[in-house]
Amino acid sequence: MSAAAPALAVRGLGKRFGGIQALEGVDLEVLSGEVHALVGENGAGKSTLINLLAGTLQPDAGQILVGGRPVRFRHARDAAAAGVAAVYQELSVIDSLSVAENLLPNRQPVNRWHFIRGTELRRQAEQILASFGVGLSPDTLVGQLALAERQVVEILKCLAAQPKVLLLDEPTSSLTQREKEALFGLIRHLRALGKGVVYISHHLPEVLALADRMTVLRDGRRVTTCARAEVTEAALARLMVGRELHSVFGKRGGAERGGRPRLQAAGLTRPGAFGPVSLEVWPGEIVGLAGLVGAGRTALGRALFGAEPALEGEIRLDGVSVNPRTPREAIELGIAYVTEDRKGQGLFLDQSIAHNLAAPGLGRFCGRWGFVRDGQMEQHARACRERSRIVAPDVHQTIGRLSGGNQQKVLLAAWIGLGPRLLIADEPTRGVDIGARSEIYGQLRGLAKEGAAVLLISSDLPEILGLADRVLVMRAGRLVARLTGAEATEQRIIAAALGAESPPATATNDTPDTE
Amino acid sequence: MNPPPASLLRQLSRLSELRILLLVAGFWLGLWLYDPAFLAPATINTVLLYLFGYAIMACGMTVLLVSGGFDLSVGSVSALAAMVAGVLMRDPALHVAWPLALAVGLGVGAAIGTANGLFIARLGINPFITTLGTMLLARGLTYIVSGGVGRSGFAPGFCWLGQGRVLAVHWPGWLGGGQWTGVQMPIVVSLLLVVVADVLLRKHRFFRQNYYLGGNEQAAWLSGIAVNRLKVFNYALSGTLAALAGLLFCARLDAAIPTAGEGDELKVITAVIVGGASLSGGKGTVLGAFLGCLLLATIRPAISFLNIGDHWEKALVGFILLTAVLLDRVGKRR
């Protein structure tokens, strides 16, 4: 490693969002020719840090230095100009264009009349592909490539601008093992070329296989920076987690299993997504469903709610065999599903809090001829606001203006307001600050105490451990571990989710390595 | 825990039609100040008679825009429905009774609307492309069915639908003597439809689902709304109302014309958007759309009234549309 100024350095970086300190006093040094991993749980501040480095957010405190020179990024363009490029989870390649056209957007070689010079474009693209040892044809349409190859194109697109530092945010979350290896090859090649690479991931085995050094973030602060040789996977996991869990989660209800299970699923399968999966949830119980992003948890939740078709297996609700084919049918059966995608699939952002709260089950507020009673709807909204402590002066306020935490409280309150028998909550605290979190936990606990069954899908391990009476772990579409509250620990869940341990007896051997 | 009663001003500011209401009121007030004769009953009657077709189509179009769709085929469908009814009534070989012809005409509209809905909801084809297709198809069928020539000389019963007057009043000599000649049927029908549609879209559960559908289709579906069924119904409604508008227009003129209703689709969409709806869905009301029709329909008489010259009409409509959208955007920023 060189003795010269680091390719990228960060001193005392801080960022606040409203009431919460997302990042505080973070130091980081990325050397040229180094792969520097950034690890931490969800909500530890990794994404905030990346956004600050990429110029899409501006820090409240601290300094960013590129090649030893202090810089201020007002805009993503500034970061790009300074030689910092970011590759996010969502790809921005255009499927209908060729690899060459994707590699050189806005930099296509043109002739005097500003027509694109096709052969020159092709030649330049070939040059880029060859220089990084990538064996793709520049003429292939990106839409015909595999996901990993598209990811490679995305990375090369950023590299075409000759950055000094490359930020990679969870680049492997949707790749198969073989595809990952190809990507790692490219990353190692970049390291050899002297680029600084910041690699964000919570897949610890990957991090350990790839990174030279790693910085651990927890609760917005840097815990430590260490070299690859200094740590083991277990030590890293401990550094990531290491906190008291039971404070924000309230008292466990001490669920007693009586009678028959509320939800009983047997051999549930959706080819390509999950299965066969069998599980039970008793009334009054919160069951945590843990696993990595892409393990099939959301697909399973949606299938139970009738939001995904093509289902094999059987669902029993209080012992009665049911088959919800649409959300409408599921709602009538007393199943509620709180989506993980609050803005995209959960809320009606341009509409009022009251209308959002009434959205599932509008019929509750209707008279005999189907006319909506606005007064009743408003009353319901006020009651929900009271009960769920939604911070808003007026229930007619547009919901898009509320904070993320309050929006989430509205979404949850809308579904709890239906009085469901079974609530499936998919990442109910994603992007939500600590205060709202504990209130959401209180809501879920309260619902369980009233006798509903709750299936909690979450990638937030402390949340699962603090809230769930039992924990199920999914990997690659299968349930690979069933843990009682006493058995469940972070290490066990992570091990099961990653498949680090020998698989338990429930999993058969032909586990596919991708969804 | 009763909330304090919202002040009148606050309730008024919540009224989504406020913007368009002020626009219409300001426009009319200006004209009235220029010459009080402008607001004479005769002028108003002329304006209403001019816009009844647009108002009827706007009811269906508002529902569609609120739900995030729209319908380019309304103008052609209105012509086709009238022409089918006209041919059925006047063709020597057919001579169908007018009530049956009327029903068939409405059925044609409903059928094309349902086809639009099925294409859009079931096959996921873009509303623009689907309704552009049916717009051309319906116009073409109008020419094919009619052979390119109009039909007229319909039964008096049919013509009464377009020309008859109701609510005529005579008052006796000791009250000053005189009479009110009443209102033409199309005006009555259109105003009635506007009121009914406004109340339904505002208050009725089934129609109100459209605000959710237009606001976020995914979320609406997950909330248990039968999204596809709703879409098909909306397009069927739009087609049926377009047919009704065309049939009333035909009855009023006692003529089915192959070129009837050309360009109406854009006029109606313009009026509905001026009235507060948005192409991205989730908002708008029938009352707002009606006021939008009223505003646009007043432009032509205002121009002749002020002697500006007919060439200004289109430019003014465009100006009003952009102003309305601009005001909306500025209102949102605040």
Side-chain angles (χ1 to χ4, degrees), chain B residues 24-36:
Chain B
V24 173
F27 193 54
W28 281 17
L29 187 70
L31 290 165
W32 179 76
L33 286 176
Y34 180 80
D35 186 344

Side-chain angles (χ1 to χ4, degrees), chain B residues 112-133:
Chain B
I112 293 179
T114 307
N116 277 334
L118 289 173
F119 261 74
I120 290 159
R122 301 266 167 197
L123 304 180
I125 296 170
N126 177 294
F128 181 87
I129 292 165
T130 305
T131 59
L132 182 66

Side-chain angles (χ1 to χ4, degrees), chain A residues 45 104-105 107 138 204 253 282 300 310 353 371 385 390 396-397 487:
Chain A
L104 296 157
R107 277 192 303 274
L204 296 184
W282 265 263
L300 175 63
I353 297 171
F371 286 95
R385 180 177 63 175
I390 296 157
H396 296 292
Q397 194 182 345
E487 289 167 355

